[in-house]
Amino acid sequence: MARVPLPPVPSRLVEVEVLDAVRRGALEAVLVPQPEDDAELELIAGVRPSGKAGDVKQVPGDSPVRWLVGVGKGKPENYRAAGAALARAADSYFEHEPVKALQIALGEDATAETARELAMGVMLGGYRYKVSGEEPKPRLKTLRLIPRSEDVPAFAEAVSRTRELAAAAALARDLANTPSNVKDPAWLADTAARLADGLPGLTATIRDERWLAEQGFGGVLAVGGGSASPPRLIELDYKPRGAAGHLLYVGKGITFDTGGLSVKPADGMHLMRTDMAGGGAVIAAVRAVAALGLKVRVTALVPAAENHVSGSAYRPGDVVRHYGGKTTEVANTDAEGRMVLADALAYGIKRFKPDAVVDVATLTGAMKVALGLRTGGLFASDDDLAARIAAAGEAAGEAWWRMPLLDAHAEAVKGDLGDVKQVPTGPGGITAALFLREFTGETPWAHLDIAGPARADRTYADVVPGGTGFAARTLVELAAAYV
Protein backbone atom coordinates (compact mmCIF):
# COMPACT_ATOMS: atom_id res chain seq x y z
CA MET A 1 0.00 0.00 0.00
CA ALA A 2 1.38 3.42 -0.96
CA ARG A 3 2.41 5.62 1.91
CA VAL A 4 0.98 9.10 2.28
CA PRO A 5 4.01 11.42 1.94
CA LEU A 6 2.71 13.99 4.40
CA PRO A 7 0.59 13.93 7.55
CA PRO A 8 -3.07 14.63 6.77
CA VAL A 9 -4.28 18.23 6.80
CA PRO A 10 -6.16 18.80 9.03
CA SER A 11 -4.57 16.66 11.72
CA ARG A 12 -6.68 14.23 13.69
CA LEU A 13 -7.11 15.42 17.27
CA VAL A 14 -7.93 13.49 20.42
CA GLU A 15 -11.68 12.91 20.63
CA VAL A 16 -13.09 14.27 23.90
CA GLU A 17 -16.42 12.80 25.00
CA VAL A 18 -18.68 13.83 27.87
CA LEU A 19 -20.43 10.86 29.52
CA ASP A 20 -22.84 10.47 32.41
CA ALA A 21 -20.99 7.63 34.19
CA VAL A 22 -17.53 6.11 34.45
CA ARG A 23 -16.74 3.00 32.45
CA ARG A 24 -15.73 0.08 34.66
CA GLY A 25 -12.17 -1.09 34.15
CA ALA A 26 -11.13 1.84 31.95
CA LEU A 27 -7.88 3.64 32.70
CA GLU A 28 -8.34 6.76 34.77
CA ALA A 29 -6.58 10.02 35.47
CA VAL A 30 -7.24 11.92 38.69
CA LEU A 31 -7.07 15.71 38.83
CA VAL A 32 -5.21 16.99 41.88
CA PRO A 33 -5.35 20.66 42.97
CA GLN A 34 -2.33 22.28 44.54
CA PRO A 35 -2.77 23.02 48.27
CA GLU A 36 -2.87 26.64 49.40
CA ASP A 37 0.18 26.19 51.59
CA ASP A 38 3.27 24.03 51.18
CA ALA A 39 1.70 21.04 52.85
CA GLU A 40 2.26 17.66 51.24
CA LEU A 41 -0.71 16.00 49.61
CA GLU A 42 -1.82 12.56 50.75
CA LEU A 43 -0.83 9.45 48.84
CA ILE A 44 -3.14 8.41 46.03
CA ALA A 45 -2.78 4.81 44.86
CA GLY A 46 0.59 4.79 46.59
CA VAL A 47 1.92 7.90 44.83
CA ARG A 48 2.25 11.39 46.29
CA PRO A 49 1.22 14.09 43.79
CA SER A 50 2.44 17.69 43.91
CA GLY A 51 -0.70 19.28 42.50
CA LYS A 52 1.38 21.75 40.46
CA ALA A 53 -0.22 22.62 37.15
CA GLY A 54 1.01 20.25 34.46
CA ASP A 55 2.81 17.89 36.85
CA VAL A 56 1.81 14.34 35.87
CA LYS A 57 2.78 11.28 37.90
CA GLN A 58 2.21 7.77 36.62
CA VAL A 59 0.79 5.23 39.04
CA PRO A 60 2.40 1.79 38.81
CA GLY A 61 0.58 -1.50 39.22
CA ASP A 62 -2.84 -2.75 38.15
CA SER A 63 -4.98 0.03 39.58
CA PRO A 64 -7.38 1.65 37.06
CA VAL A 65 -5.96 4.99 38.23
CA ARG A 66 -2.92 5.43 36.02
CA TRP A 67 -2.10 9.17 36.23
CA LEU A 68 -2.26 11.89 38.86
CA VAL A 69 -2.52 15.26 37.15
CA GLY A 70 -1.79 18.53 38.91
CA VAL A 71 -4.20 21.38 38.13
CA GLY A 72 -2.49 24.03 40.24
CA LYS A 73 -4.77 26.72 41.61
CA GLY A 74 -7.53 25.87 39.15
CA LYS A 75 -7.11 28.81 36.79
CA PRO A 76 -8.08 28.25 33.14
CA GLU A 77 -4.46 28.19 32.04
CA ASN A 78 -3.73 25.61 34.76
CA TYR A 79 -6.32 23.19 33.40
CA ARG A 80 -5.05 23.75 29.87
CA ALA A 81 -1.49 22.96 30.95
CA ALA A 82 -2.72 19.91 32.86
CA GLY A 83 -4.57 18.55 29.85
CA ALA A 84 -1.59 19.08 27.59
CA ALA A 85 0.80 17.34 29.97
CA LEU A 86 -1.61 14.44 30.39
CA ALA A 87 -1.92 14.00 26.62
CA ARG A 88 1.84 13.79 26.24
CA ALA A 89 2.17 11.36 29.14
CA ALA A 90 -0.61 9.18 27.77
CA ASP A 91 0.93 9.15 24.29
CA SER A 92 4.21 7.96 25.75
CA TYR A 93 2.41 5.23 27.73
CA PHE A 94 0.28 4.05 24.81
CA GLU A 95 3.34 3.49 22.65
CA HIS A 96 3.82 0.33 24.71
CA GLU A 97 0.24 -0.53 25.70
CA PRO A 98 -2.72 -1.36 23.43
CA VAL A 99 -5.25 0.80 25.33
CA LYS A 100 -5.97 4.12 23.62
CA ALA A 101 -8.60 5.75 25.84
CA LEU A 102 -8.79 7.12 29.36
CA GLN A 103 -11.39 8.78 31.56
CA ILE A 104 -11.54 11.50 34.20
CA ALA A 105 -14.29 11.79 36.79
CA LEU A 106 -14.65 15.52 37.40
CA GLY A 107 -15.13 16.77 40.94
CA GLU A 108 -18.10 18.58 42.46
CA ASP A 109 -16.46 21.95 41.91
CA ALA A 110 -15.78 21.35 38.21
CA THR A 111 -17.45 23.72 35.76
CA ALA A 112 -18.02 23.76 32.03
CA GLU A 113 -14.98 26.05 31.85
CA THR A 114 -12.95 23.36 33.60
CA ALA A 115 -13.96 20.83 30.97
CA ARG A 116 -13.37 23.30 28.16
CA GLU A 117 -9.82 24.19 29.18
CA LEU A 118 -8.90 20.60 30.03
CA ALA A 119 -10.16 19.44 26.64
CA MET A 120 -8.28 22.22 24.86
CA GLY A 121 -5.05 21.20 26.54
CA VAL A 122 -5.50 17.53 25.71
CA MET A 123 -6.34 18.17 22.06
CA LEU A 124 -3.48 20.60 21.42
CA GLY A 125 -0.89 19.24 23.85
CA GLY A 126 -0.80 15.94 22.00
CA TYR A 127 -0.45 17.60 18.60
CA ARG A 128 2.25 16.11 16.40
CA TYR A 129 3.49 16.90 12.90
CA LYS A 130 6.23 14.77 11.40
CA VAL A 131 7.03 13.73 7.86
CA SER A 132 8.28 10.16 8.25
CA GLY A 133 8.61 6.89 6.43
CA GLU A 134 7.86 5.02 9.65
CA GLU A 135 4.44 3.85 10.77
CA PRO A 136 2.92 6.30 13.26
CA LYS A 137 3.17 5.21 16.88
CA PRO A 138 0.02 4.42 18.88
CA ARG A 139 -1.41 7.46 20.64
CA LEU A 140 -4.21 8.56 22.90
CA LYS A 141 -7.41 8.48 20.85
CA THR A 142 -10.20 9.28 23.28
CA LEU A 143 -10.62 11.17 26.54
CA ARG A 144 -13.88 10.71 28.43
CA LEU A 145 -14.96 13.36 30.91
CA ILE A 146 -17.57 12.43 33.49
CA PRO A 147 -19.14 15.43 35.26
CA ARG A 148 -22.03 15.38 37.67
CA SER A 149 -24.93 13.84 35.77
CA GLU A 150 -27.09 16.96 35.82
CA ASP A 151 -24.29 18.94 34.12
CA VAL A 152 -23.70 16.61 31.17
CA PRO A 153 -25.53 18.72 28.50
CA ALA A 154 -23.78 21.96 29.47
CA PHE A 155 -20.40 20.26 29.61
CA ALA A 156 -20.98 18.52 26.28
CA GLU A 157 -21.87 21.83 24.62
CA ALA A 158 -18.75 23.49 26.00
CA VAL A 159 -16.52 20.66 24.79
CA SER A 160 -18.16 20.67 21.35
CA ARG A 161 -17.33 24.35 20.86
CA THR A 162 -13.82 23.81 22.18
CA ARG A 163 -13.31 21.09 19.61
CA GLU A 164 -13.71 23.65 16.81
CA LEU A 165 -11.38 26.14 18.49
CA ALA A 166 -8.72 23.48 18.99
CA ALA A 167 -9.19 22.32 15.40
CA ALA A 168 -8.59 25.89 14.22
CA ALA A 169 -5.32 26.14 16.14
CA ALA A 170 -4.23 22.68 14.96
CA LEU A 171 -5.06 23.46 11.33
CA ALA A 172 -3.07 26.69 11.52
CA ARG A 173 -0.18 24.60 12.88
CA ASP A 174 -0.55 22.08 10.05
CA LEU A 175 -0.37 24.79 7.41
CA ALA A 176 2.63 26.46 9.02
CA ASN A 177 4.49 23.18 9.53
CA THR A 178 4.04 21.82 6.01
CA PRO A 179 7.47 21.98 4.33
CA SER A 180 7.85 24.54 1.58
CA ASN A 181 8.93 22.03 -1.06
CA VAL A 182 5.25 21.05 -0.92
CA LYS A 183 3.65 24.27 0.31
CA ASP A 184 3.93 26.70 -2.57
CA PRO A 185 1.22 29.35 -3.16
CA ALA A 186 -0.82 27.01 -5.37
CA TRP A 187 -0.76 24.24 -2.72
CA LEU A 188 -1.86 26.66 -0.01
CA ALA A 189 -4.66 27.98 -2.20
CA ASP A 190 -5.87 24.52 -3.23
CA THR A 191 -5.76 23.33 0.37
CA ALA A 192 -7.76 26.33 1.58
CA ALA A 193 -10.38 25.68 -1.10
CA ARG A 194 -10.59 22.01 -0.13
CA LEU A 195 -10.97 22.86 3.55
CA ALA A 196 -13.81 25.27 2.78
CA ASP A 197 -15.71 22.77 0.66
CA GLY A 198 -18.95 21.52 2.19
CA LEU A 199 -19.26 24.07 5.00
CA PRO A 200 -22.61 25.91 4.76
CA GLY A 201 -22.24 29.56 3.82
CA LEU A 202 -18.50 29.34 3.09
CA THR A 203 -17.14 29.83 -0.43
CA ALA A 204 -13.58 29.88 -1.74
CA THR A 205 -12.29 31.83 -4.73
CA ILE A 206 -8.70 31.49 -5.88
CA ARG A 207 -7.18 34.31 -7.92
CA ASP A 208 -4.18 33.48 -10.10
CA GLU A 209 -1.28 35.61 -11.33
CA ARG A 210 -3.16 36.76 -14.45
CA TRP A 211 -6.01 38.11 -12.40
CA LEU A 212 -3.56 39.73 -9.98
CA ALA A 213 -1.85 41.49 -12.90
CA GLU A 214 -5.16 42.64 -14.39
CA GLN A 215 -6.26 44.07 -11.04
CA GLY A 216 -2.96 45.79 -10.28
CA PHE A 217 -1.70 43.78 -7.29
CA GLY A 218 1.80 45.18 -7.71
CA GLY A 219 2.99 44.25 -4.23
CA VAL A 220 2.05 40.57 -4.53
CA LEU A 221 3.47 40.33 -8.05
CA ALA A 222 6.73 42.03 -7.06
CA VAL A 223 7.31 39.72 -4.08
CA GLY A 224 6.32 36.61 -6.03
CA GLY A 225 8.17 37.59 -9.18
CA GLY A 226 11.41 35.89 -8.23
CA SER A 227 9.86 32.45 -7.79
CA ALA A 228 9.06 29.71 -10.29
CA SER A 229 5.83 29.20 -8.29
CA PRO A 230 3.48 32.10 -9.14
CA PRO A 231 1.50 33.90 -6.44
CA ARG A 232 -2.15 33.49 -5.55
CA LEU A 233 -4.82 35.43 -3.71
CA ILE A 234 -6.97 33.19 -1.51
CA GLU A 235 -10.45 34.56 -0.90
CA LEU A 236 -12.72 32.83 1.63
CA ASP A 237 -16.15 34.35 2.23
CA TYR A 238 -18.46 33.13 4.97
CA LYS A 239 -21.89 34.67 4.48
CA PRO A 240 -24.58 33.27 6.83
CA ARG A 241 -28.19 34.37 6.72
CA GLY A 242 -29.02 37.13 9.18
CA ALA A 243 -25.37 38.13 9.70
CA ALA A 244 -24.87 40.65 12.53
CA GLY A 245 -21.88 42.39 10.92
CA HIS A 246 -18.98 41.92 8.54
CA LEU A 247 -15.35 41.36 9.49
CA LEU A 248 -12.44 41.24 7.06
CA TYR A 249 -9.41 39.16 8.02
CA VAL A 250 -6.19 39.51 6.01
CA GLY A 251 -3.31 37.09 6.59
CA LYS A 252 0.26 37.18 5.30
CA GLY A 253 0.81 34.12 3.11
CA ILE A 254 4.54 34.02 2.33
CA THR A 255 5.02 30.29 1.83
CA PHE A 256 8.80 30.65 1.98
CA ASP A 257 10.98 33.69 2.51
CA THR A 258 14.62 33.84 1.46
CA GLY A 259 14.60 37.60 1.95
CA GLY A 260 14.82 38.05 -1.82
CA LEU A 261 17.84 40.00 -3.05
CA SER A 262 18.23 41.33 0.51
CA VAL A 263 18.90 37.71 1.38
CA LYS A 264 18.50 36.46 4.94
CA PRO A 265 21.34 34.88 6.91
CA ALA A 266 21.40 31.09 6.53
CA ASP A 267 20.87 30.53 10.26
CA GLY A 268 17.15 30.35 10.84
CA MET A 269 16.10 30.50 7.20
CA HIS A 270 14.70 26.96 7.47
CA LEU A 271 12.05 28.37 9.80
CA MET A 272 10.66 30.52 7.00
CA ARG A 273 8.24 27.75 6.07
CA THR A 274 6.17 29.28 8.89
CA ASP A 275 6.23 32.79 7.41
CA MET A 276 2.63 32.25 6.30
CA ALA A 277 1.46 31.61 9.88
CA GLY A 278 -0.76 34.69 9.73
CA GLY A 279 -2.42 33.41 6.57
CA GLY A 280 -2.80 29.97 8.13
CA ALA A 281 -4.47 31.47 11.20
CA VAL A 282 -6.91 33.39 9.01
CA ILE A 283 -7.83 30.34 6.92
CA ALA A 284 -8.31 28.19 10.02
CA ALA A 285 -10.32 30.84 11.84
CA VAL A 286 -12.83 31.38 9.03
CA ARG A 287 -13.29 27.64 8.66
CA ALA A 288 -14.03 27.39 12.41
CA VAL A 289 -16.44 30.34 12.29
CA ALA A 290 -18.35 28.55 9.53
CA ALA A 291 -18.28 25.21 11.35
CA LEU A 292 -19.71 26.89 14.45
CA GLY A 293 -22.40 28.58 12.35
CA LEU A 294 -21.77 32.01 13.85
CA LYS A 295 -24.15 34.70 12.62
CA VAL A 296 -21.49 37.13 11.46
CA ARG A 297 -20.07 37.51 7.97
CA VAL A 298 -16.32 36.96 7.81
CA THR A 299 -14.22 37.38 4.70
CA ALA A 300 -10.62 36.20 4.63
CA LEU A 301 -7.95 37.26 2.18
CA VAL A 302 -4.53 35.59 2.04
CA PRO A 303 -2.04 36.98 -0.49
CA ALA A 304 0.26 34.00 -1.04
CA ALA A 305 3.71 34.25 -2.59
CA GLU A 306 7.26 32.92 -2.35
CA ASN A 307 10.01 35.50 -1.85
CA HIS A 308 12.93 34.11 -3.83
CA VAL A 309 16.22 35.16 -5.39
CA SER A 310 16.41 35.14 -9.20
CA GLY A 311 16.85 37.38 -12.20
CA SER A 312 13.17 38.31 -12.03
CA ALA A 313 13.17 39.19 -8.31
CA TYR A 314 12.21 42.70 -7.28
CA ARG A 315 15.02 45.00 -6.18
CA PRO A 316 15.85 47.55 -3.49
CA GLY A 317 15.19 50.91 -5.10
CA ASP A 318 12.17 49.73 -7.12
CA VAL A 319 8.90 51.64 -6.98
CA VAL A 320 5.89 49.33 -6.82
CA ARG A 321 2.29 50.32 -7.59
CA HIS A 322 -0.28 48.63 -5.33
CA TYR A 323 -3.94 47.84 -5.88
CA GLY A 324 -5.73 51.18 -5.90
CA GLY A 325 -2.75 53.10 -7.27
CA LYS A 326 -0.62 54.01 -4.24
CA THR A 327 3.11 53.52 -4.77
CA THR A 328 5.83 52.19 -2.48
CA GLU A 329 9.57 52.80 -2.77
CA VAL A 330 11.34 49.58 -1.87
CA ALA A 331 14.33 49.64 0.47
CA ASN A 332 14.65 46.02 1.57
CA THR A 333 13.18 43.03 -0.25
CA ASP A 334 13.05 41.14 3.05
CA ALA A 335 10.24 43.47 4.20
CA GLU A 336 7.97 41.60 1.82
CA GLY A 337 5.05 40.91 4.14
CA ARG A 338 3.86 44.51 4.19
CA MET A 339 4.06 44.60 0.39
CA VAL A 340 1.53 41.80 -0.09
CA LEU A 341 -0.66 42.91 2.82
CA ALA A 342 -0.94 46.42 1.35
CA ASP A 343 -2.55 45.06 -1.82
CA ALA A 344 -4.94 42.79 0.07
CA LEU A 345 -5.98 45.48 2.57
CA ALA A 346 -6.72 48.03 -0.14
CA TYR A 347 -8.61 45.50 -2.25
CA GLY A 348 -10.57 43.95 0.60
CA ILE A 349 -11.74 47.26 2.03
CA LYS A 350 -12.78 48.63 -1.37
CA ARG A 351 -14.57 45.48 -2.51
CA PHE A 352 -16.21 44.22 0.67
CA LYS A 353 -16.70 47.43 2.71
CA PRO A 354 -16.40 45.58 6.05
CA ASP A 355 -17.29 46.97 9.46
CA ALA A 356 -13.74 46.29 10.63
CA VAL A 357 -10.54 44.76 9.26
CA VAL A 358 -7.83 42.78 11.06
CA ASP A 359 -4.56 41.75 9.47
CA VAL A 360 -2.31 39.04 10.94
CA ALA A 361 1.35 38.59 10.05
CA THR A 362 4.75 37.39 11.15
CA LEU A 363 5.90 40.86 10.24
CA THR A 364 8.82 42.24 12.25
CA GLY A 365 11.69 40.98 14.35
CA ALA A 366 11.18 44.13 16.39
CA MET A 367 8.08 42.59 17.98
CA LYS A 368 10.10 39.58 19.11
CA VAL A 369 12.52 41.94 20.81
CA ALA A 370 9.77 44.04 22.37
CA LEU A 371 7.37 41.33 23.54
CA GLY A 372 9.26 38.05 23.45
CA LEU A 373 7.98 34.78 22.01
CA ARG A 374 4.62 34.29 23.74
CA THR A 375 2.83 37.62 23.28
CA GLY A 376 1.46 39.13 20.09
CA GLY A 377 1.66 42.81 19.24
CA LEU A 378 -1.68 44.57 18.79
CA PHE A 379 -1.91 47.84 16.86
CA ALA A 380 -5.27 49.44 16.21
CA SER A 381 -6.75 52.62 14.79
CA ASP A 382 -9.94 52.06 16.80
CA ASP A 383 -10.13 51.67 20.59
CA ASP A 384 -13.29 49.57 20.52
CA LEU A 385 -11.77 47.10 18.07
CA ALA A 386 -8.59 46.92 20.15
CA ALA A 387 -10.62 46.17 23.28
CA ARG A 388 -12.60 43.47 21.47
CA ILE A 389 -9.42 41.77 20.27
CA ALA A 390 -7.84 41.89 23.74
CA ALA A 391 -11.00 40.34 25.23
CA ALA A 392 -11.08 37.71 22.48
CA GLY A 393 -7.46 36.86 23.20
CA GLU A 394 -8.17 36.46 26.89
CA ALA A 395 -11.08 34.13 26.15
CA ALA A 396 -8.87 32.14 23.77
CA GLY A 397 -5.90 31.94 26.13
CA GLU A 398 -3.68 33.98 23.78
CA ALA A 399 -1.80 37.02 25.10
CA TRP A 400 -1.80 40.36 23.28
CA TRP A 401 -0.18 43.66 24.18
CA ARG A 402 -1.41 46.88 22.62
CA MET A 403 1.35 48.88 20.98
CA PRO A 404 1.16 52.59 20.10
CA LEU A 405 0.63 54.01 16.62
CA LEU A 406 2.83 57.01 17.30
CA ASP A 407 2.03 60.04 15.17
CA ALA A 408 5.59 61.23 15.75
CA HIS A 409 6.70 58.55 13.26
CA ALA A 410 3.88 58.95 10.75
CA GLU A 411 5.83 61.44 8.66
CA ALA A 412 8.64 58.90 8.24
CA VAL A 413 6.30 56.72 6.18
CA LYS A 414 5.93 59.38 3.50
CA GLY A 415 8.04 58.60 0.44
CA ASP A 416 10.39 60.70 -1.70
CA LEU A 417 10.45 58.56 -4.85
CA GLY A 418 7.04 56.99 -4.23
CA ASP A 419 3.97 57.75 -2.09
CA VAL A 420 5.22 55.74 0.89
CA LYS A 421 8.43 54.16 2.10
CA GLN A 422 8.50 50.42 2.59
CA VAL A 423 10.95 50.58 5.51
CA PRO A 424 10.59 53.94 7.29
CA THR A 425 13.11 55.03 9.90
CA GLY A 426 12.19 54.57 13.56
CA PRO A 427 10.97 51.66 15.72
CA GLY A 428 10.48 48.76 13.32
CA GLY A 429 7.23 47.27 14.60
CA ILE A 430 5.52 50.63 14.90
CA THR A 431 6.63 52.01 11.53
CA ALA A 432 5.59 48.77 9.82
CA ALA A 433 2.11 49.17 11.31
CA LEU A 434 2.03 52.82 10.24
CA PHE A 435 2.92 51.73 6.71
CA LEU A 436 -0.03 49.31 6.65
CA ARG A 437 -2.36 51.98 8.03
CA GLU A 438 -1.79 53.93 4.82
CA PHE A 439 -3.86 51.30 2.98
CA THR A 440 -6.83 51.09 5.36
CA GLY A 441 -8.58 54.43 4.89
CA GLU A 442 -11.21 55.23 7.51
CA THR A 443 -12.21 51.63 8.21
CA PRO A 444 -11.59 50.50 11.81
CA TRP A 445 -8.41 48.46 11.52
CA ALA A 446 -6.12 46.34 13.66
CA HIS A 447 -2.75 44.82 12.89
CA LEU A 448 -1.61 41.71 14.77
CA ASP A 449 2.14 41.11 14.62
CA ILE A 450 2.76 37.47 15.59
CA ALA A 451 6.45 37.20 14.66
CA GLY A 452 7.26 36.01 18.20
CA PRO A 453 4.48 33.59 19.22
CA ALA A 454 3.78 32.09 15.76
CA ARG A 455 6.46 29.45 16.21
CA ALA A 456 8.06 27.67 19.16
CA ASP A 457 11.33 25.85 19.63
CA ARG A 458 10.30 23.93 22.73
CA THR A 459 7.28 22.50 24.52
CA TYR A 460 5.28 24.58 26.99
CA ALA A 461 1.64 24.42 28.12
CA ASP A 462 -0.39 23.29 25.07
CA VAL A 463 2.34 24.33 22.62
CA VAL A 464 4.80 21.97 20.94
CA PRO A 465 7.80 22.84 18.75
CA GLY A 466 6.95 24.22 15.31
CA GLY A 467 4.02 26.35 14.28
CA THR A 468 1.83 27.24 17.25
CA GLY A 469 -1.41 28.26 15.53
CA PHE A 470 -1.29 31.53 17.48
CA ALA A 471 -4.06 34.03 16.63
CA ALA A 472 -6.50 31.51 15.11
CA ARG A 473 -8.52 31.14 18.32
CA THR A 474 -8.48 34.88 18.96
CA LEU A 475 -9.96 35.51 15.52
CA VAL A 476 -12.74 32.98 16.15
CA GLU A 477 -13.56 34.54 19.54
CA LEU A 478 -13.52 38.00 17.96
CA ALA A 479 -16.07 36.91 15.39
CA ALA A 480 -18.20 35.31 18.12
CA ALA A 481 -18.25 38.63 19.99
CA TYR A 482 -19.90 40.33 16.97
CA VAL A 483 -22.89 37.95 17.03
Side-chain angles (χ1 to χ4, degrees), residues 25-51:
L27 292 183
E28 299 177 30
V30 174
L31 303 182
V32 183
Q34 187 175 0
E36 292 297 329
D37 52 28
D38 294 331
E40 284 189 334
L41 291 166
E42 294 182 0
L43 294 175
I44 300 177
V47 175
R48 193 182 306 280
S50 72

Side-chain angles (χ1 to χ4, degrees), residues 418-454:
D419 294 322
V420 291
K421 292 179 180 178
Q422 178 209 31
V423 186
T425 57
I430 293 172
T431 54
L434 290 169
F435 173 88
L436 293 176
R437 189 176 67 173
E438 294 289 318
F439 297 87
T440 62
E442 300 300 317
T443 303
W445 157 79
H447 161 58
L448 306 181
D449 192 331
I450 60 170

